[in-house]
Amino acid sequence: MSQKQKKASAATNKLDEEGEEILSNEVRITQQGKPRNYISYAMNLLTNQNQNQIILKAMGRAVNKAVTIAEILKRKAQFHQITSLSSVEIVDIYDPIEEGLDRVESKRYVSCINIVLSRSPLDTTDIGYQPPLPLEEMQPGDTRPGREVASSSAGSGGGDDGAGGLSVIPTAATRPSPSIFDVGGEG
């Protein structure tokens, strides 16, 4: 790609620190971001931006958050999924503050995940392919950003319940089953 093409591409698309192009349907997940924000952004891409598929990308400690977000999105709409894992070598270079000391290089490998969620069928022969969930596992709820569903459970503090800002209504699948450790004979 020539310099002129790179400048034209940079003018129309976003670039990351390494100069890689960030696609318009790409969601880069970090450890610090809130899951509800990523879910709202992804749903906005799918509904308002008319994207057919989205790509969730994460590295390091954000990998588990990307998987959680993908699972929540898959329960809102029927998506085909392809997941791929990789690792990248990161080299940290420390320049000495004092004169006469050597430069220190530290190499480490960081895990990466790339999750493609698509409304249309994907390559079913791919090793990371997962078909859409059955309809009985779907919990579409309200997909409009910024609106919460009222919960019928008592004692809900309204805080972050780990569901990414979504209120969870207990069903047979989410309700705890009685166990031998229950006290008072309830359940």
Side-chain angles (χ1 to χ4, degrees):
M1 186 181 285
S2 71
Q3 289 291 16
K4 194 178 270 189
Q5 288 173 327
K6 283 184 182 179
K7 285 183 182 179
S9 176
T12 57
N13 297 322
K14 296 179 185 176
L15 299 177
D16 66 2
E17 298 85 30
E18 291 84 36
E20 273 188 51
E21 187 177 334
I22 299 174
L23 302 174
S24 62
N25 64 341
E26 189 172 306
V27 180
R28 294 205 173 177
I29 298 168
T30 64
Q31 186 181 6
Q32 290 82 22
K34 292 183 184 268
R36 86 177 118 223
N37 294 341
Y38 293 119
I39 293 165
S40 296
Y41 180 69
M43 290 306 291
N44 182 39
L45 285 176
L46 291 163
T47 56
N48 299 341
Q49 305 291 325
N50 295 326
Q51 296 286 344
N52 190 37
Q53 71 178 18
I54 56 171
I55 303 167
L56 305 176
K57 289 187 173 184
M59 293 176 66
R61 294 181 181 168
V63 168
N64 62 340
K65 187 180 288 188
V67 172
T68 301
I69 291 166
E71 290 300 319
I72 291 170
L73 290 170
K74 283 171 52 179
R75 281 160 177 72
K76 289 184 168 293
Q78 286 207 306
F79 289 117
H80 296 265
Q81 176 180 341
I82 290 184
T83 304
S84 58
L85 298 171
S86 62
S87 65
V88 64
E89 180 182 46
I90 296 182
V91 180
D92 295 319
I93 301 173
Y94 301 98
D95 289 322
I97 296 173
E98 297 179 18
E99 203 172 302
L101 296 174
D102 291 335
R103 184 178 180 176
V104 177
E105 288 187 9
S106 171
K107 293 181 183 180
R108 57 191 167 100
Y109 290 92
V110 177
S111 300
C112 304
I113 193 165
N114 188 17
I115 302 172
V116 178
L117 296 174
S118 175
R119 290 181 178 149
S120 57
L122 296 170
D123 180 13
T124 58
T125 61
D126 191 296
I127 195 164
Y129 175 78
Q130 293 180 30
L133 293 173
L135 289 176
E136 54 270 4
E137 290 186 33
M138 301 290 294
Q139 300 171 349
D142 190 357
T143 58
R144 289 179 283 175
R147 182 166 176 198
E148 286 191 30
V149 178
S151 176
S152 61
S153 59
S156 176
D160 189 10
D161 57 359
L166 304 173
S167 297
V168 179
I169 299 171
T171 63
T174 60
R175 197 173 299 122
S177 59
S179 77
I180 60 170
F181 300 109
D182 288 340
V183 179
E186 293 181 347

